[in-house]
Amino acid sequence: MLTYRAAGSETRLPGSALSYGTLLLVEDGAELFVAADVVAGVEAGPGAAWVGVSFAEAMWT
């Protein structure tokens, strides 16, 4: 469990919810990079699945 503390508050996040690097970007106020990091993280899963399925289909046909 990741605990993030800022401005007197404490938020507990599951380890896979946000990366530590994303939290650091939030602290720095880099909203564009935070958005890009979140989008890349969300797209990485389906993208990896697509590559795996494509590779498997190519190997088995």
Side-chain angles (χ1 to χ4, degrees):
M1 185 70 67
L2 177 66
T3 302
Y4 177 68
R5 295 182 183 133
S9 67
E10 182 175 307
T11 304
R12 298 185 137 221
L13 301 169
S16 62
L18 289 172
S19 70
Y20 182 67
T22 303
L23 294 176
L24 291 177
L25 289 172
V26 169
E27 282 183 349
D28 291 341
E31 292 86 9
L32 180 63
F33 291 115
V34 171
D37 189 44
V38 170
V39 168
V42 169
E43 291 298 321
W50 180 80
V51 168
V53 168
S54 297
F55 182 74
E57 286 177 349
M59 294 297 293
W60 293 105
T61 57

